[in-house]
Amino acid sequence: MTAPFRFPRFFVTSPSPCPYLPGRQERKVFTELNGPHAGDLNDALGRIGFRRSQSVAYRPSCAGCTACVSVRVVASDFVPNATQRKQIRRNADLEVSPCRAWATDEQYQLLRRYLASRHPGGGMADMDEGDYADMVEHSPVNSYIIEYREPAQNGVRGRLIGACLTDQQADGLSMIYSFFDAEHSLRAGMGNMIIMDHILRARSIGLPYVYLGYWVKGSERMAYKTRYRPIEVLGPTGWTVLTDEDATYAPPAQKNVLMADELV
């Protein structure tokens, strides 16, 4: 006889500076993912806007601000535009391999170069080998690393130029974190290529969606996510297709910000 499913306990973080919109505060609601039903819980929470980090599922819960919205690409209806088709052709020689969620030094060194190029001084800048291993290996759900390599030469495996930690959920692929050689002179747009590969991969295995995390209205750092159409956003009435007008609409002004001692 299996144990009954227990409703998870949720917690809220203290406010901290928002990394996307200056002058705002962010906080998150989160719960643990553990036990035999961790995968089912992660699937259910993913459909209502939660993201996974190691053994925790979280989503924004910011006072007076709803700028962060969950987005997912409709894989079956995705049609690449001319630029995206060119990127797919240019990278058709890459050797793409789903690997078990096990951290390697080669992956870590690529991550270090990526962070130094794209996110110097960011929250992950001080990540050491142990931190990276925790991010990759401490997953209670069906996760793997997809590696992107240059073609093998003379029987020698090609150089690793991209990787993505990915969860396979019941209704799609969730891209937890991707990184790549941002300085590669012949592989511009590798980040876009990794997203498109996930879309085509989801379609090939019959999964309807690719979850891209949160899109922040008004943030240039997140604008790239709206290039993959059709893309759905999660709002008060559920998932709806993002329109061109919505994609360019700036977020409303923040109504209020709770101070730390007001947090309940």
Side-chain angles (χ1 to χ4, degrees), residues 66-67 69-71 215-219 222-223 225-227 229 231-252:
T66 57
V69 292
S70 296
V71 291
W215 170 58
V216 182
K217 297 179 180 181
S219 171
M222 292 296 181
K225 296 186 180 184
T226 63
R227 298 172 189 161
R229 303 296 185 92
I231 190 167
E232 295 182 342
V233 296
L234 180 61
T237 60
W239 292 94
T240 58
V241 175
L242 180 72
T243 66
D244 291 337
E245 182 180 2
D246 290 335
T248 57
Y249 182 69

Side-chain angles (χ1 to χ4, degrees), residues 6 21 44 55 77 82-83 97 108 111 121 133-134 150 152 156 160 163 165 177 181 196 201-202 231 234 242 247:
R6 188 176 67 179
L21 299 176
S55 59
D77 296 337
T83 299
S97 305
Y108 174 69
L111 173 66
D134 286 343
E150 294 180 326
V156 178
L160 181 70
L165 175 61
Y177 195 80
D181 185 350
M196 287 187 291
R201 182 177 300 274
I231 190 167
L234 180 61
L242 180 72

